[in-house]
Amino acid sequence: MKSSLFSTTILHERYHEFKHKFRYFIVSLLIDHDEIMFLSANVKFFSYNKFNIFSFYEKDHGYRDGRNLREYVEDNLKSNKIIFEKLKIKITCLPRIFGYAFNPLSIIYCYNQNQLIAIFYEVKNTSNEQHTYLFASNISEETNIYRHKCNKNFYVSPFIGMKALYKFKNTLSDNKMSIIIDLFDENNKKILTASQFGKKIKFNSFTLFRQLIINPLVTIKVIFAILYESIFIVLKGGKYYARKKKALDTISFEGKL
């Protein structure tokens, strides 16, 4: 089975205009989209598009209207002239737990047979808005480390302005995950590092039940941690940036993989 769980540490560290750090521990999914029906049928506490202790819903990702994630991926690859024959899709995200989920970052990996051709960084904010940064190439180098950069064009935190640059470092491994995102302001000063490190564990009923016992309210914990930490940022003098309401989900093609 190509799908797995990851025991994951999330770390946010702010450097400017003041220092602030927090971390929390979660279980995340890495799902081979072709296996999702098999997982739903064979893993007792996991379901696809229906309520369970743990579940994955198509409407949480991509078009977010219930259409299949594959349709979203294929449409955007085709519109950016990325060629594929046998497309394989994997997504790393948080599960719904008892029907609730908040995914600050989901990452969609796309393969033409076994060659990685695209990475979708799907970002959500606490207002349930979404923007996706797409990096894709018809020909990509065989490597375990992918580095990307792009301008920030989506409102995430009320304490960080929009004039900023992201730098991504995405390390792919069979047994571990490592995502590091550095944010720089318009003067090229590092403002923030957000990182996610995980160790692979088996995707089965036993490990899901064990994670439920160890960390029962993981998705509520994520949104609570964000809101809780915002109080400390305010107390430390964080500057507030108002949000301009976003009517539709958006996606931007940011360059080669």
Side-chain angles (χ1 to χ4, degrees):
M1 191 166 68
K2 297 178 182 178
S3 302
S4 59
L5 303 175
F6 281 87
S7 179
T8 307
T9 300
I10 305 291
L11 174 65
H12 284 212
E13 186 167 8
R14 182 162 181 154
Y15 307 101
H16 181 77
E17 301 170 336
F18 53 85
K19 292 185 177 182
H20 185 74
K21 181 193 294 187
F22 73 94
R23 74 179 66 202
Y24 53 92
F25 305 95
I26 60 174
V27 59
S28 57
L29 309 175
L30 176 63
I31 291 180
D32 185 314
H33 201 262
D34 291 337
E35 292 182 342
I36 200 161
M37 296 299 293
F38 173 85
L39 293 169
S40 184
N42 290 277
V43 180
K44 186 174 182 180
F45 302 113
F46 177 82
S47 291
Y48 173 56
N49 281 342
K50 64 181 181 180
F51 182 85
N52 202 333
I53 299 175
F54 296 87
S55 55
F56 176 92
Y57 279 73
E58 296 284 357
K59 66 182 180 181
D60 292 335
H61 305 280
Y63 285 122
R64 296 210 295 172
D65 59 4
R67 278 182 283 177
N68 193 283
L69 182 63
R70 177 173 289 274
E71 182 178 351
Y72 174 80
V73 167
E74 289 184 353
D75 287 349
N76 282 286
L77 293 181
K78 289 175 182 177
S79 66
N80 288 288
K81 300 180 180 179
I82 304 301
I83 300 169
F84 54 88
E85 295 178 359
K86 294 183 179 180
L87 183 66
K88 296 182 181 294
I89 299 170
K90 294 183 180 182
I91 179 170
T92 179
C93 61
L94 299 184
R96 283 195 179 210
I97 299 182
F98 294 109
Y100 176 79
F102 172 62
N103 269 285
L105 175 66
S106 304
I107 304 177
I108 304 163
Y109 299 94
C110 305
Y111 298 83
N112 183 26
Q113 297 183 9
N114 294 319
Q115 180 186 23
L116 185 68
I117 58 171
I119 297 177
F120 293 68
Y121 294 97
E122 187 180 79
V123 183
K124 294 181 179 68
N125 61 24
T126 54
S127 299
N128 197 35
E129 297 168 335
Q130 177 177 290
H131 180 79
T132 302
Y133 301 92
L134 168 59
F135 297 86
S137 302
N138 284 310
I139 299 176
S140 62
E141 297 180 7
E142 291 189 9
T143 178
N144 291 327
I145 300 175
Y146 290 86
R147 300 179 189 270
H148 312 113
K149 63 180 179 180
C150 63
N151 290 326
K152 180 186 178 188
N153 52 32
F154 176 58
Y155 181 97
V156 178
S157 168
F159 305 107
I160 297 177
M162 289 298 295
K163 294 181 179 180
L165 175 75
Y166 286 122
K167 291 185 179 180
F168 301 82
K169 181 182 178 183
N170 192 336
T171 305
L172 304 179
S173 168
D174 290 338
N175 297 312
K176 296 180 180 180
M177 71 160 59
S178 172
I179 312 296
I180 301 172
I181 304 173
D182 292 320
L183 180 70
F184 297 82
D185 68 11
E186 56 189 321
N187 298 314
N188 202 34
K189 182 178 290 185
K190 187 187 286 190
I191 301 296
L192 175 77
T193 295
S195 58
Q196 179 173 333
F197 302 96
K199 184 177 180 180
K200 184 177 179 179
I201 53 180
K202 290 183 179 180
F203 197 143
N204 57 35
S205 300
F206 173 77
T207 51
L208 281 178
F209 182 74
R210 184 172 182 272
Q211 290 299 318
L212 181 66
I213 298 301
I214 295 172
N215 209 354
L217 300 175
V218 59
T219 50
I220 296 176
K221 182 179 180 180
V222 172
I223 191 72
F224 178 78
I226 292 170
L227 297 174
Y228 179 76
E229 293 299 328
S230 68
I231 296 172
F232 290 94
I233 293 175
V234 169
L235 294 175
K236 290 181 178 182
K239 182 179 178 181
Y240 179 81
Y241 296 88
R243 175 177 68 92
K244 292 182 180 180
K245 189 175 180 180
K246 186 178 178 65
L248 299 171
D249 292 345
T250 49
I251 184 169
S252 57
F253 179 73
E254 298 294 347
K256 293 181 179 181
L257 188 60

